[in-house]
Amino acid sequence: MPKNTFFNLPEKKRTRILNAAIDEFSKYSYEKASITRIVNTANIAKGSFYQYFENKLDLFRHIFMISADEKLKYLKPTLDKMESEDFFTTLRNLYVAGIEFVKENYKLSQIADRLMKSNNENLKNEIFGETKPKSNHFLKVLLLKGIKRGEIDSSIDVELVSVMLTNLSFTITEYYLKTNEKGIVTDDYSDLMEMVEKMIYTIENGIKIKGEDNNDY
Amino acid sequence: MPKNTFFNLPEKKRTRILNAAIDEFSKYSYEKASITRIVNTANIAKGSFYQYFENKLDLFRHIFMISADEKLKYLKPTLDKMESEDFFTTLRNLYVAGIEFVKENYKLSQIADRLMKSNNENLKNEIFGETKPKSNHFLKVLLLKGIKRGEIDSSIDVELVSVMLTNLSFTITEYYLKTNEKGIVTDDYSDLMEMVEKMIYTIENGIKIKGEDNNDY
DNA sequence: ATATAATATGACTATAAAGTCACATGACTA
DNA sequence: TAGTCATGTGACTTTATAGTCATATTATAT
């Protein structure tokens, strides 16, 4: 946790420091990010920094929490409607919300993304605690509910599929960013929706050709 | 390229250096890997290292090439049989071969994996050149062939699905390693095959419930 | 045996990092 | 006004890094 002195700071100064840190951590990994660069960008003294934060990790954890909170804001509406919607609607909305978060909070998403991809297990433990984040646990529950409701094929391996769907959410985000390079952010969501639609279609139906003459039975 | 002095070295010494480097780069990212640690592990002088390699990058590139060559050996049989096998058999064999490579060359696979995940675009360019590796291009061709042969649903988005299948190959590798933690390497491939089978099933058929009463038509 | 070329060496340079600390400045209180 | 406490500061310490270089050793050729 940042020290009280940090929260007592005038808002302008506080956000100046946060922005400098977000800039730095979105450009560089935790290890390569430099406190010296951050304090220079934010125009504060090195010593001041250590009046605000315990150390580099303390700052990084704070920034990461900001990112997680922000992402949750995007997912919240979908999570709230979960009970009344069918599985594929919820999944579709989660994917869309995920991409929207990345579109509108690119730097924050980069920071979280980098941490997820990182092989620095020490750092991950410091951030998440010993309990690894089972982001697929939620999808597992959702899948089981879908099976009960008769929406999902009960012969699937729920554990494996939940991991697949979790990773596909990263895949679609990356793919969207690649196909929409130059970072053009438009209010037109049609292409985004179309892409998610295609992916959901594939997840629903698979890629094998359908029709009476081609099945294995 | 390593210098001639390196290739002139007695084989024992050369492999000692290579093993030390592979150890280091499998434990640490390119940036955090330390030449000093490598020369200590390999029991050579710092100066000797620079008789063998131009610099750190020269060594890393060499190690990465070794990893890529080794992986290709695993994939080769499947690639050679490609024409005579159907799409899903080829995909299944590629996934299995990919996991086998990781099982039997864990350190090398870690090194390649870390580079793929890395956000150090400079480094990636140094290794791959300006042309980004389109590992999904191959799957795209394979998908198109599958569609022609009447094996694959022609209404899918080939580009998107090829990216999905590429990422799912990473997913299944990670998943296999997690469920088979402690690094127990057995000659029993039944659990590996079962897992790949489940994933292929899902890719083929999707996860939506099938049967006359539940379809949307 | 001598000369020459190839290889081995580790102290050293330059650079950058995180974190510290004695002191300076400002604000609020009695 | 004097005193106290919170905040601000940047030179400094420690530690680690990649890469260099003058010198020593060994192998080869004459």
Side-chain angles (χ1 to χ4, degrees):
Chain A
M1 274 274 284
K3 300 179 184 175
N4 282 326
T5 49
F6 180 66
F7 295 111
N8 292 339
L9 244 37
E11 201 186 319
K12 273 188 81 172
K13 190 170 186 178
R14 211 170 56 234
T15 58
R16 209 174 66 222
I17 296 169
L18 284 180
N19 284 335
I22 290 171
D23 263 25
E24 181 73 9
F25 284 120
S26 72
K27 272 194 207 139
Y28 304 99
S29 66
Y30 176 76
E31 294 85 8
K32 280 182 84 187
S34 155
I35 299 296
T36 306
R37 267 196 303 261
I38 291 173
V39 299
N40 286 343
T41 307
N43 250 295
I44 59 168
K46 191 72 162 289
S48 297
F49 177 86
Y50 287 93
Q51 303 264 31
Y52 308 146
F53 300 96
E54 300 290 345
N55 47 38
K56 192 181 182 179
L57 179 66
D58 187 29
L59 168 66
F60 184 73
R61 201 179 351 226
H62 185 60
I63 299 284
F64 180 78
M65 291 308 176
I66 289 173
S67 175
D69 288 350
E70 195 57 30
K71 175 149 191 184
L72 196 61
K73 284 186 196 160
Y74 281 75
L75 301 184
K76 189 94 190 332
T78 302
L79 299 180
D80 287 343
K81 273 185 289 178
M82 228 183 75
E83 289 295 333
S84 56
E85 311 265 35
D86 73 299
F87 178 86
F88 293 106
T89 304
T90 300
L91 189 67
R92 178 183 292 109
N93 288 338
L94 286 175
Y95 283 179
V96 171
I99 298 177
E100 278 172 355
F101 167 70
V102 173
K103 274 176 75 173
E104 290 157 26
N105 304 270
Y106 188 66
K107 286 176 190 168
L108 286 182
S109 77
Q110 277 276 90
I111 294 168
D113 204 50
R114 215 191 289 277
L115 181 61
M116 297 303 177
K117 283 180 179 175
S118 165
N119 293 88
N120 185 339
E121 297 300 331
N122 267 357
L123 177 62
K124 285 184 180 176
N125 281 343
E126 294 283 3
I127 301 292
F128 300 119
E130 288 300 324
T131 55
K132 291 179 183 178
K134 293 184 181 171
S135 52
N136 67 310
H137 179 260
F138 168 78
L139 271 170
K140 223 167 108 179
V141 173
L142 207 64
L143 278 168
L144 288 170
K145 200 174 290 180
I147 291 175
K148 262 191 200 149
R149 285 171 171 174
E151 297 160 5
I152 305 293
D153 180 354
S154 62
S155 66
I156 63 164
D157 182 316
V158 173
E159 183 70 37
L160 177 65
V161 170
S162 70
V163 174
M164 286 171 69
L165 294 181
T166 301
N167 282 37
L168 284 177
S169 83
F170 292 103
T171 304
I172 198 162
T173 305
E174 266 176 48
Y175 184 70
Y176 179 80
L177 287 174
K178 255 178 219 160
T179 56
N180 291 51
E181 239 154 351
K182 323 286 173 207
I184 308 157
V185 178
T186 60
D187 287 340
D188 179 20
Y189 282 16
S190 60
D191 49 350
L192 161 58
M193 290 305 295
E194 194 188 329
M195 171 170 316
V196 173
E197 219 47 64
K198 284 173 178 170
M199 188 180 246
I200 296 282
Y201 173 85
T202 301
I203 291 169
E204 280 183 324
N205 305 294
I207 65 175
K208 194 168 71 176
I209 201 154
K210 285 163 281 288
E212 290 75 32
D213 9 79
N214 286 78
N215 58 24
D216 314 322
Y217 321 113
Chain B
M1 273 273 287
K3 300 178 183 174
N4 282 327
T5 49
F6 179 66
F7 295 110
N8 292 339
L9 246 34
E11 201 188 317
K12 273 189 81 172
K13 189 171 186 177
R14 210 171 57 235
T15 57
R16 210 174 66 222
I17 295 169
L18 284 179
N19 284 334
I22 290 171
D23 262 25
E24 182 73 8
F25 284 120
S26 71
K27 273 194 207 140
Y28 304 99
S29 67
Y30 175 77
E31 294 85 8
K32 280 183 81 186
S34 155
I35 300 296
T36 306
R37 268 196 302 261
I38 291 173
V39 299
N40 286 344
T41 307
N43 249 295
I44 60 167
K46 191 72 162 290
S48 297
F49 177 87
Y50 287 92
Q51 302 265 31
Y52 308 144
F53 301 95
E54 300 289 347
N55 47 38
K56 192 181 181 179
L57 179 66
D58 187 30
L59 168 66
F60 184 73
R61 200 179 353 226
H62 185 59
I63 298 284
F64 179 79
M65 291 309 176
I66 290 175
S67 175
D69 288 351
E70 195 58 31
K71 176 149 193 184
L72 197 61
K73 284 186 196 162
Y74 282 75
L75 301 184
K76 189 94 189 335
T78 302
L79 299 180
D80 287 343
K81 274 184 289 179
M82 230 183 73
E83 288 296 333
S84 56
E85 311 263 36
D86 73 301
F87 177 86
F88 293 108
T89 304
T90 300
L91 189 67
R92 177 183 293 109
N93 288 339
L94 286 176
Y95 281 0
V96 170
I99 298 177
E100 278 171 355
F101 167 70
V102 173
K103 273 176 75 172
E104 290 157 26
N105 305 270
Y106 188 65
K107 286 175 190 168
L108 286 182
S109 76
Q110 278 276 92
I111 294 168
D113 204 50
R114 216 191 288 279
L115 180 62
M116 298 304 177
K117 285 181 179 174
S118 166
N119 292 88
N120 185 338
E121 297 301 330
N122 268 358
L123 178 62
K124 285 184 179 176
N125 281 345
E126 293 283 3
I127 301 292
F128 301 119
E130 289 299 324
T131 56
K132 290 179 185 179
K134 293 184 183 171
S135 53
N136 67 311
H137 179 259
F138 167 77
L139 270 170
K140 223 166 108 179
V141 173
L142 207 65
L143 278 169
L144 288 169
K145 200 174 290 178
I147 290 175
K148 261 192 199 146
R149 285 172 173 175
E151 296 160 4
I152 305 291
D153 180 354
S154 61
S155 65
I156 63 164
D157 183 314
V158 174
E159 183 70 37
L160 176 65
V161 170
S162 70
V163 174
M164 286 171 69
L165 295 181
T166 301
N167 280 39
L168 284 178
S169 83
F170 292 104
T171 304
I172 197 162
T173 306
E174 264 176 49
Y175 184 70
Y176 179 79
L177 287 174
K178 255 179 219 161
T179 56
N180 292 50
E181 239 153 350
K182 322 287 172 205
I184 308 159
V185 179
T186 60
D187 288 341
D188 179 21
Y189 283 16
S190 59
D191 49 348
L192 161 58
M193 290 305 294
E194 194 189 327
M195 172 170 314
V196 173
E197 219 46 64
K198 284 173 178 171
M199 189 180 247
I200 296 284
Y201 172 86
T202 300
I203 292 169
E204 281 183 323
N205 304 293
I207 65 175
K208 194 168 68 174
I209 202 156
K210 285 163 280 288
E212 289 76 32
D213 8 80
N214 288 77
N215 59 21
D216 315 323
Y217 321 113

